[in-house]
Amino acid sequence: MNSPEKLSPVEGLKTGSNFLRGTIAQELASDVASFGKESGQLLKHHGTYQQDDRDTRKVIRDSGKTGKKDKSFSMMVRTKIPGGKLTSAQLLSELDLCDEVGNTTLRITTRQGLQLHGVLKSNLQHTIRRINEVQMSTLGACGDVNRNVMCCPAPHYGDPVHQQLQDLADQLASYFAPRTTAYHEIWLTDEDHPDEPQLVGGGSDGHEIEPIYGNRYLPRKFKMAIGLPSDNCADIYANDLGLMAICDSSQIIGYNVVVGGGFGVTPSAAKTFPAVAKRLTFVTPDQVIDVSRAIVEVQRDYGDRSDRKRARMKYVIADWGLDKFKAKVEEYYGHSLPAPNPEDVQCFDDHLGWNEQGDGRWYYGLNVENGRIKDEGELRLKSALRQICTTLRPAIRLTSNQSILFCDVAAEDKAALEKLLTEHGVKLTNQISTVRRWSIACPAMPTCGLAVAESERALPGIIDQLEVELARLGLSDEVFTVRMTGCPNGCARPYNSDVGLVGKTLGKYTILVGGRVVGDRLNFLYKDLVAEADVVPTLVPLLIYFKQERTSGESFGDFCHRKGADDLAAWADNYAAQSTT
Ligand code: SRM
Ligand code: SF4
């Protein structure tokens, strides 16, 4: 464990906050438009981030009228949705909020959650209350705790395995939810009716102290995901703790546990790096919670609390090696743990289009470009969702690719669902290109304070160009992932994708290649500091190479991985030289 004098300032803040209270309530009651820095840090644990509109900030600065960088503050509010599972009523409630108090858009996140942006401080309590009134919660959606638990969202009712996975996601989410009553006091207690029972949103059972976390919480965020060998759509290898169900016919006999995935990188700090998780052990269903707890506790006690850049569990594992880490987990768990089962992830299903659920009903997976639900021009996705949720009332599931599944649809309602979508200018799954379907981007500008480049606003144009080039090369049907972020923190998981586009500085990107859809391998550097307009032209030589020299059935990522960085660079240089002669 780290000595107290080495603790980072955030550690002192958490410890002194009286279980995440700090001065949030007092600041909330004041008329000042923004929270102070310390409350801003604590508020993350309550599921909300203070942001400022970077477009507006720029306009004010550029206008030269004030001579300073004025900021218009607002809050991003993130709802934690285990396994991406919600009802039509819950989605409608979030849609109402985005219009009433947000920036009129709602965003599906890469961890199957939902985000509101642009909520004024004066509307924050009302917003969090409303989310809890429909039995959802923002508690622990951000902060140094276990984040939203991801899980394959497919409602395959004919196969009990999927239901068991969803149940496990709920169990883990509830077990690792913060227990502080601060959340209820600050957001959910009704001042006019102090004696009435407090509203309780998903996940917290109201214990006064934190049995798992203690008063310092974890050194950093912690992430869990659950998948299957046949479907790694929860991208388990990008998580601190991944669970892969091992099945015998339709029974789960246990889980392979993978540990230490994480993608945040600070380019200036060589000590930071992205990592895919390592295979640790196999546990039976009755052991899974206790072993998960032991892993979280090892990270709690040995994660680096002196340096937040190196505080994720991947660094404990890198510093110790997997054997030492496993021995420590065994010590906390109290028993030795076996080697993992030989099975590993093989496929990734994006669950789009029509699929039978196995109970006579259907689900329809719809791509939502970069997760943004909005009405803009011809595209009126937000209105379409409103109508679908009020008339057909399907169950809703969100995917890790920022898509939406409309579930429990009767065969006779299939045409009505498609009609509602097309009437609102929404393209159906079979009307969008394969490359767009498999692409995702993080929000970046204008809301993300860490963005150094555009992402969500840039990717659609890049995909437009890629569509043209892929069609020209006869590669339109190739399935490969393109994932873009506005900085190296990796929120759209660009480091295990076939093509990763990572914002390096304004307008310039690092291009990475060689990961793959199934997500168990890091990609590698192809070109750095590529201007946005040059991204597709820079990829074209690789696509040509792929077309010429791929083996039968080989994917783009596997091809790049087989050729390796040096060979790809040599090919690209040669291609460029020939193009200029
Ligand atoms: Fe993230 C920070 C958005 C998934 C790694 N992430 C942020 C913040 C809160 C920026 C900030 O700290 O000020 C972003 C808010 C932007 C905005 O305007 O909304 C942000 N992250 C997102 C979302 C919304 C991106 C999206 O396109 O959906 C995702 C929310 C998921 C959720 O519902 O919980 C999101 N973030 C991820 C993922 C992917 C995942 O978990 O599967 C990663 C990579 C995996 C990982 O954790 O390593 C990720 N976000 C980060 C990091 C780097 C962490 C690190 O270990 O260094 C940061 C920066 C930080 O924590 O200091 C960050
Ligand atoms: Fe912001 Fe960077 Fe995350 Fe994108 S990857 S949302 S720019 S922190």
Side-chain angles (χ1 to χ4, degrees), residues 51 54 78 107 115 221 441-445 447-456 484-495 502-503:
Q51 302 185 317
R54 300 182 64 184
R78 187 182 287 168
R107 197 165 185 287
Q115 278 188 188
K221 60 180 76 169
C442 75
M445 309 284 190
T447 52
C448 180
L450 304 180
V452 294
E454 294 283 349
S455 180
E456 182 187 328
M484 184 169 198
T485 57
C487 86
N489 278 314
C491 296
R493 296 186 293 271
Y495 300 115
V502 175

